[in-house]
Amino acid sequence: MYSEIVPHTITAAEVAEKRPAGIVLSGGPSSVYEQGAPQLDRGILELGIPVLGICYGFQVMATALGGEVAHTGQREYGATDVTVADGGVLLNGQPSEQTTWMSHGDSVSRAPEGFSVLASSASTPVAAFEDGERRLYGVQWHPEVKHTEFGQRVLENFLHRAAGIPADWNSDNVIADQVAAIRAQVGTGKVICGLSGGVDSAVAAALVHKAVGDQLVCVFVDHGLLRQDERRQVEEDYVAATGVRLVTIDAEAQFLDALAGVSDPETKRKIIGREFIRTFEKAQVDLIAEAAADGDPIRYLVQGTLYPDVVESGGGTGTANIKSHHNVGGLPEDLQFELVEPLRTLFKDEVRAIGRELGLPEAIVGRQPFPGPGLGIRIVGEVTAERLDLLREADAIVRSELTAAGLDNEIWQCPVVLLADVRSVGVQGDGRTYGHPIVLRPVSSEDAMTADWTRLPYDLLARISNRITNEVAGVNRVVLDVTSKPPGPIEWE
């Protein structure tokens, strides 16, 4: 398969040279008519290689082949009902009525000549098409996300029936390939890894440790933006499970000083990314001084960057910057390390599978995602020590109640957000209060590219709200975020 993030620079000649078994066209701006929108070299569609267009890729394929994409004024975001009229190869074996997950404004109003229209929705007359003779296929919805009922079957039909690719992907193959790639990149060099305690950095570090052993040193930065008890979990649980050498750096004052007076979310992310790197550079100096006998500098930095991080940070020419992840968009230009990113092309569910294959404990592999910038981007407003303590208390209550209800494995994650620059009137006791709202954001997902809000039981929500407003000073209101992704990302900032 051809999967580079190069939406408008790849040419038919380059594809022909690589000769992939299949091509997937996906991603891009909101409209094929947007200024600077990536276009498609039509020659790619004439190589006889199976091509699947998804969402923007579906529309750009349609326009390249003479179909029509119209500004209907009717957008479809989130759950969308679709009617399948003709299964063809792509939708073979699927029911006539199904729920898909869409994210588009324009719609394909007329399929290119020679294409069969397979499906439609209320606002999209051509929601799927195919030309079996030319081996060209497309869907307006996103089959790769959890919330599309039969999306997996769409992908399987394209990969196995249309492209003839065998089903031989497994975590063993990925581990072997990445270990070989890491050894080739690093050689005998020394490697440093920023370990957060989350599954991404944990699996990345475990892969590198498997490849180069004691050449790796993990550094855990306590930046003061962590949730309750996380430092102990990292220092004890992960080290016990892997045997990796861990150095802990207490940098709370450094980060809070750098974030003082800053409320803009993009600025906060970039500051946190910058301070992370600066902290690693200091750790490098200390570790080299310790190993003065050989004087070999630490030139490699491991990061648990995932594919969604790259996409959302505008990775690749022509992709939109939804939000800069601290490990992608927040890196300083004068970075002194060469990056080692063994998970960069993977999604979270694949990372978990690799972690289990590597023997990491379920407490680490199954842990709910937590952003690298930590609670710093769950405080809407300036980050202060007092606000962090408040949010930590509320977050600990939510996590304990979800665990007690047996829901840890049923939700993707539940960000708890403090609206620090918002106050609302409340009544607590016999007096008037003027406190902050806390937002609960429980979501279900598989890969973080899309998500839906999780329907938690009302009695659980009531218990969480009651505990937070009673136990956390300064909070007098708890609200629930019921927005899907798209349009709303999982994190608020």
Side-chain angles (χ1 to χ4, degrees), residues 227-307:
R227 294 178 293 187
Q228 194 175 91
D229 206 31
E230 285 193 306
R231 176 168 176 168
R232 182 200 60 77
Q233 291 174 347
V234 172
E235 291 180 326
E236 296 179 10
D237 297 346
Y238 187 77
V239 172
T242 63
V244 169
R245 182 188 174 193
L246 178 68
V247 175
T248 300
I249 298 176
D250 190 341
E252 179 177 2
Q254 171 188 335
F255 277 77
L256 289 181
D257 286 348
L259 290 167
V262 178
S263 296
D264 177 72
E266 276 292 285
T267 303
K268 285 195 287 187
R269 285 179 175 273
K270 292 182 183 299
I271 288 173
I272 292 168
R274 181 194 71 207
E275 294 304 315
F276 260 114
I277 296 302
R278 297 302 177 231
T279 304
F280 291 141
E281 289 172 345
K282 292 177 183 177
Q284 179 199 29
V285 172
D286 293 340
L287 289 169
I288 288 301
E290 176 187 293
D294 55 41
D296 186 17
I298 299 176
R299 295 192 296 111
Y300 300 95
L301 171 64
V302 180
Q303 294 202 131
T305 307
L306 304 191
Y307 188 69

Side-chain angles (χ1 to χ4, degrees), residues 101 142-149 151-152 446-447 449-450:
W101 201 258
H142 284 270
E144 76 277 12
V145 305
K146 175 180 180 179
H147 309 293
T148 292
E149 284 183 302
Q152 184 70 19
E446 287 186 345
D447 54 20
M449 293 298 291
T450 63

Side-chain angles (χ1 to χ4, degrees), residues 14-37:
E14 291 172 297
V15 174
E17 182 179 353
K18 293 177 180 290
R19 205 62 196 178
I23 301 168
V24 176
L25 305 173
S26 184
S30 58
S31 172
V32 293
Y33 300 115
E34 186 175 312
Q35 185 175 2

Side-chain angles (χ1 to χ4, degrees), residues 5 16 36 53 82 106 121 192 197 229 255 262 304 308 313 393 438 456 484:
I5 312 175
V82 162
D106 297 344
S121 69
I192 192 171
D229 206 31
F255 277 77
V262 178
S313 298
E393 288 184 61
I438 284 285
L456 296 178
S484 64

